[in-house]
Amino acid sequence: MNVVFVGAGRLATQLAKALHAKGHTIVAVYSRTLTSATALASVVGGFPTDSIAALPLEADAFIIAVKDGALPTLVPQLAQGRAAQPMFHTAGSMSMQVLSGLRHHGVIYPMQTFSKERDVDFSHLPFFIEANDDQALQVATELATSVSDNVRQMSSDDRRYLHLAAVFACNFSNHCYSLAANILERHGVPFSVLLPLIAETSQKVLTMHPREAQTGPAVRYDENVIAAQMQLLDGQPLMQQVYEVMSQSIHSEATQPPQ
């Protein structure tokens, strides 16, 4: 397929590389900055541009991978002369309705955390697709299944909750790693000492429900340990608040009857 990428950030970079590797032709790459568009186009082909007007008027698919807040402004610009072209956004938390002014539209959402510098294996990565008609669904399906064997349809409403769960599982967990790194660095201990613990924690949830895998003082609400660790965070009220709320949440989850 001939594909136009609108966006050259982390998700766009990895998805464009994956599609390019599977034989799709990236005909153009747009970014607000020509430098970013050029960097991606140099890897996947196509011409780079920082002008929406300069993009082709036709393609098999336009994939819009920009910040969520940019979609309502960007889509009407992109629709000028292209309203009949199949267009898809990639945002987990945005409704498909943001593209409702386009004849054939939908969502192609690969659920993963992306970085420009770290290539991702898409072969089993879960893709969640949605479309307003059969033509858009066919295009979304063909693109997604060309790079992954784990593709399923999901409505915008359900995808909101999927994205919320992903924020807890990925973004919040990674922030906890960052907080842990800050604590260790202040005392001259490298973050690497935690890597075996992090690896074991992530491996356990492959075979156990996260509720069953939970350990630590908050599960049994060991008040002596909790109070001592809260004291170690004196002078860091936000960190204390995070520690306290997380401990309360862990204990509450641990004492809930099985569902």
Side-chain angles (χ1 to χ4, degrees):
M1 284 191 177
N2 292 328
V3 181
V4 171
F5 264 85
V6 182
R10 290 172 293 184
L11 188 157
T13 295
Q14 294 301 327
L15 182 55
K17 288 165 69 174
L19 291 172
H20 174 67
K22 292 299 182 178
H24 298 283
T25 300
I26 311 303
V27 295
V29 177
Y30 162 85
S31 177
R32 289 185 300 109
T33 62
L34 188 57
T35 300
S36 295
T38 300
L40 179 53
S42 68
V43 176
V44 300
F47 71 89
T49 181
D50 57 1
S51 168
I52 291 292
L55 289 173
L57 295 179
E58 295 183 357
D60 295 316
F62 287 75
I63 296 180
I64 310 169
V66 297
K67 292 181 180 179
D68 293 3
L71 282 169
T73 301
L74 185 64
V75 170
Q77 299 175 37
L78 193 57
Q80 294 180 23
R82 308 178 187 86
Q85 302 300 301
M87 297 195 187
F88 307 89
H89 77 63
T90 58
S93 61
M94 293 292 286
S95 169
M96 183 175 70
Q97 288 301 111
V98 74
L99 303 177
S100 60
L102 303 166
R103 187 177 304 171
H104 311 292
H105 61 269
V107 178
I108 300 174
Y109 172 51
M111 190 179 67
Q112 184 56 282
T113 176
F114 294 103
S115 300
K116 286 187 178 182
E117 304 80 9
R118 182 178 172 84
D119 287 346
V120 171
D121 179 3
F122 278 78
S123 56
H124 305 300
L125 194 154
F127 273 74
F128 299 89
I129 62 174
E130 182 182 14
N132 76 314
D133 63 12
D134 289 343
Q135 180 176 335
L137 182 60
Q138 180 178 346
V139 174
T141 301
E142 184 173 339
L143 287 171
T145 57
S146 70
V147 296
S148 173
D149 62 7
N150 188 1
V151 179
R152 64 192 75 187
Q153 294 185 51
M154 179 175 284
S155 69
S156 289
D157 188 54
D158 286 341
R159 196 176 64 256
R160 290 185 306 154
Y161 290 99
L162 175 70
H163 190 259
L164 173 62
V167 167
F168 273 92
C170 174
N171 306 134
F172 287 0
S173 294
N174 189 72
H175 182 60
C176 286
Y177 299 155
S178 182
L179 296 181
N182 291 342
I183 291 171
L184 293 178
E185 287 164 4
R186 282 195 293 269
H187 296 277
V189 181
F191 178 71
S192 60
V193 301
L194 291 181
L195 294 181
L197 176 64
I198 292 170
E200 175 62 15
T201 302
S202 63
Q203 285 296 310
K204 279 203 294 187
V205 297
L206 297 179
T207 57
M208 300 171 64
H209 191 285
R211 189 182 301 111
E212 297 171 354
Q214 188 71 58
T215 61
V219 173
R220 57 190 181 273
Y221 215 77
D222 188 327
E223 295 187 12
N224 290 333
V225 174
I226 290 172
Q229 294 190 334
M230 287 280 285
Q231 189 172 6
L232 293 176
L233 296 171
D234 275 352
Q236 302 174 71
L238 185 57
M239 283 276 282
Q240 285 182 323
Q241 185 178 356
V242 170
Y243 183 97
E244 183 174 23
V245 171
M246 288 286 283
S247 296
Q248 290 172 351
S249 181
I250 289 169
H251 183 65
S252 175
E253 178 80 4
T255 55
Q256 291 286 332
Q259 297 183 359

